[in-house]
Amino acid sequence: MVLFLLIRSLIDLQCLVCILGLKCETDIDECSSLPCYNNGICKDRVGEFICECPSGYTGQLCEENINECSSSPCSNKGTCVDGLAGYHCTCVKGYMGKMFPFFLVVIEFCLHCETEVNECQSGPCLNNAVCEDQLGGFLCKCPPGFLGSRCEINMDECFSQPCKNGATCKDGANSFSTSAGREIPNV
C-alpha cells in the first residue's frame, strides 16, 4: 500500500508539471507567460510550447537575431551591416547597388555593391572635354587651350606677351587676337 501511494504521488506530481486536475484533465497553457521574444508567436502543446519566429529571428524562444551578413552578400569589397531581419551594404567608392525601399522610403543603401558607378554620367568635364570613367572617379581630357581637373581653366595665351610693337593682346579659347583685330591660333 505504501508503494502504491508513493507511485500515485509521483504520478500526481508529474501531472502538476503540465496538467491540472485530479485526473490530469486540464492542460496548462505554457504560452500564458508569453515566453517568445521579438514578437514570436507561441503555440501551446501538451506539456510544452513552440515559438514561431518572425523573419530575421531564430532560436527556441526567437531570442537570436539571424546574421544575414554571414553569407557575405556584398560584392566588390562592400561592407555588410547586419540589421533586424535584414542587412545593407556600404559600398566602397566607385560602386553602388540597386536602390530598394526601406520602411516605405527609398534610401541610398546599396543592395550588393554590384554596379560600378559611371562618374562621367553627370557630365563633370567642361569646355567640350572628353570624360574618361575610372573606378571611383573620372579623368577629363581637355581640348587644346584648357586645363584643370575639369578643364575649367582657359589658358591665357597672352601671358607670354605674343603681341609686339605695342599691340594689345586679347585672349581667346586656344587663341589670341591683336589690337588690330587679327585672331592668331595658338600652335
Side-chain angles (χ1 to χ4, degrees):
M1 181 72 167
V2 173
L3 182 60
F4 172 76
L5 290 175
L6 183 60
I7 292 172
R8 178 74 180 154
S9 295
L10 288 175
I11 291 172
D12 287 344
L13 283 175
Q14 191 173 16
C15 287
L16 289 176
V17 172
C18 62
I19 301 172
L20 295 175
L22 287 175
K23 298 180 182 175
C24 299
E25 71 276 3
T26 307
D27 181 27
I28 294 176
D29 182 3
E30 286 84 8
C31 291
S32 64
S33 65
L34 304 173
C36 304
Y37 295 108
N38 299 306
N39 296 317
I41 297 171
C42 186
K43 299 286 185 176
D44 185 39
R45 311 270 183 187
V46 176
E48 63 180 4
F49 65 91
I50 295 173
C51 291
E52 290 181 359
C53 302
S55 178
Y57 292 98
T58 189
Q60 187 175 355
L61 301 175
C62 305
E63 73 280 8
E64 194 177 321
N65 177 26
I66 294 173
N67 182 359
E68 287 85 4
C69 291
S70 63
S71 65
S72 302
C74 305
S75 303
N76 299 308
K77 299 182 183 173
T79 303
C80 186
V81 179
D82 185 42
L84 297 177
Y87 68 93
H88 72 269
C89 295
T90 303
C91 302
V92 297
K93 186 176 180 185
Y95 287 97
M96 67 179 191
K98 294 178 181 142
M99 306 293 272
F100 68 98
F102 189 71
F103 292 112
L104 306 176
V105 178
V106 175
I107 54 176
E108 285 195 47
F109 280 138
C110 303
L111 191 53
H112 294 110
C113 305
E114 69 279 6
T115 306
E116 199 266 321
V117 176
N118 181 354
E119 287 83 4
C120 290
Q121 195 168 19
S122 65
C125 300
L126 304 173
N127 296 308
N128 294 319
V130 175
C131 185
E132 185 179 287
D133 183 40
Q134 298 185 338
L135 184 59
F138 61 91
L139 177 67
C140 294
K141 294 185 177 183
C142 301
F146 293 93
L147 53 95
S149 63
R150 297 180 58 223
C151 304
E152 71 276 13
I153 301 169
N154 178 13
M155 292 183 350
D156 184 1
E157 285 80 13
C158 292
F159 181 75
S160 64
Q161 300 177 347
C163 299
K164 306 296 180 206
N165 300 321
T168 306
C169 183
K170 185 172 188 231
D171 182 45
N174 196 37
S175 65
F176 65 91
S177 59
T178 66
S179 56
R182 196 169 132 225
E183 187 172 311
I184 303 169
N186 190 19
V187 185

